[in-house]
Amino acid sequence: MSLKSSLIFWSRNKTYSFICLFGLIVSLIFVIIITNYTKNELSTDNFQTKADRIYVLGNENVYGCAYKLADHLMDRYPEIEKICVCAKQQGIPAKIGENKFNVSITFADTTFFDLFDFDLILGDKKTALVAMNSALISEKFANTAFGDQDPMGKSLNLNGLEVQVTGVLKNIENSLFTNDVFF
């Protein structure tokens, strides 16, 4: 069939042509969506230098590991080099002065920066999560909560618990850890 005869056929059968064109458009949209989703899933946290050796316990919505489970895993599997116990919670009420926010939090232990290569704008990676009442905040949350003020050393009330800002993380993109506060 030549191109000319195909065009004649499509012009005479407009409903059929519309249905075929509509189906082609819908299928291309799904191909683009699936490709974009797959690319994002396969590239999450690929910028980490130890990405090929990092595994996360969790599912699509929640990641986390209990402290006792971490000890049990280390004892049972000698090939585990290091464990960083983390847990995520969203919608935690936070208060800075009179300003109220709902924040997402990652509870992380002191080995967080041993495994992950996130950059700090302010603070020191070695001491940022050592104290019990220390917290890191994201650059985005720092700009929202503190504006142009320096957030270092400022107090942050997380659902009744007072913590002190010991560092500001550079904005994190394409990562599992896109939270406002790391505690």
Side-chain angles (χ1 to χ4, degrees), residues 53-90:
R53 299 186 343 237
I54 296 175
Y55 296 89
V56 177
L57 295 178
N59 61 26
E60 298 84 24
N61 302 317
V62 179
Y63 58 84
C65 174
Y67 281 103
K68 294 293 181 183
L69 178 60
D71 294 338
H72 180 69
L73 289 173
M74 287 292 282
D75 292 342
R76 185 168 180 164
Y77 301 102
E79 58 266 37
I80 294 176
E81 297 172 32
K82 190 170 276 202
I83 289 182
C84 175
V85 178
C86 295
K88 176 181 181 178
Q89 286 191 348
Q90 294 182 335

Side-chain angles (χ1 to χ4, degrees), residues 5 7 21 29-30 40 46 59-61 66 69 91 97 99 113 125 130 134-135 152 165 181-182:
S5 60
L7 292 173
L21 185 61
I29 289 170
F30 277 107
N40 285 340
N46 270 354
N59 61 26
E60 298 84 24
N61 302 317
L69 178 60
N99 298 325
F113 287 113
K125 289 182 180 182
V130 174
S134 62
M152 292 296 288
V165 176
V181 179
F182 293 79

Side-chain angles (χ1 to χ4, degrees), residues 13-125:
N13 299 293
K14 292 183 182 358
T15 305
Y16 174 77
S17 300
F18 174 76
I19 292 170
C20 287
L21 185 61
F22 181 74
L24 178 64
I25 291 170
V26 169
S27 62
L28 284 175
I29 289 170
F30 277 107
V31 166
I32 291 169
I33 289 171
I34 291 169
T35 302
N36 189 36
Y37 176 79
T38 303
K39 181 183 132 305
N40 285 340
E41 286 295 313
L42 294 176
S43 65
T44 299
D45 281 313
N46 270 354
F47 60 90
Q48 307 287 350
T49 56
K50 299 174 185 168
D52 61 332
R53 299 186 343 237
I54 296 175
Y55 296 89
V56 177
L57 295 178
N59 61 26
E60 298 84 24
N61 302 317
V62 179
Y63 58 84
C65 174
Y67 281 103
K68 294 293 181 183
L69 178 60
D71 294 338
H72 180 69
L73 289 173
M74 287 292 282
D75 292 342
R76 185 168 180 164
Y77 301 102
E79 58 266 37
I80 294 176
E81 297 172 32
K82 190 170 276 202
I83 289 182
C84 175
V85 178
C86 295
K88 176 181 181 178
Q89 286 191 348
Q90 294 182 335
I92 303 297
K95 189 175 177 185
I96 300 171
E98 295 302 316
N99 298 325
K100 295 180 180 180
F101 306 93
N102 278 330
V103 296
S104 57
I105 295 178
T106 292
F107 295 98
D109 68 12
T110 56
T111 61
F112 185 76
F113 287 113
D114 294 342
L115 295 172
F116 301 106
D117 301 321
F118 297 116
D119 293 325
L120 288 178
I121 296 171
L122 297 170
D124 181 18
K125 289 182 180 182

Side-chain angles (χ1 to χ4, degrees), residues 1-13 17:
M1 233 174 139
S2 70
L3 180 60
K4 184 177 179 180
S5 60
S6 294
L7 292 173
I8 292 171
F9 174 78
W10 288 338
S11 67
R12 290 183 183 160
N13 299 293
S17 300

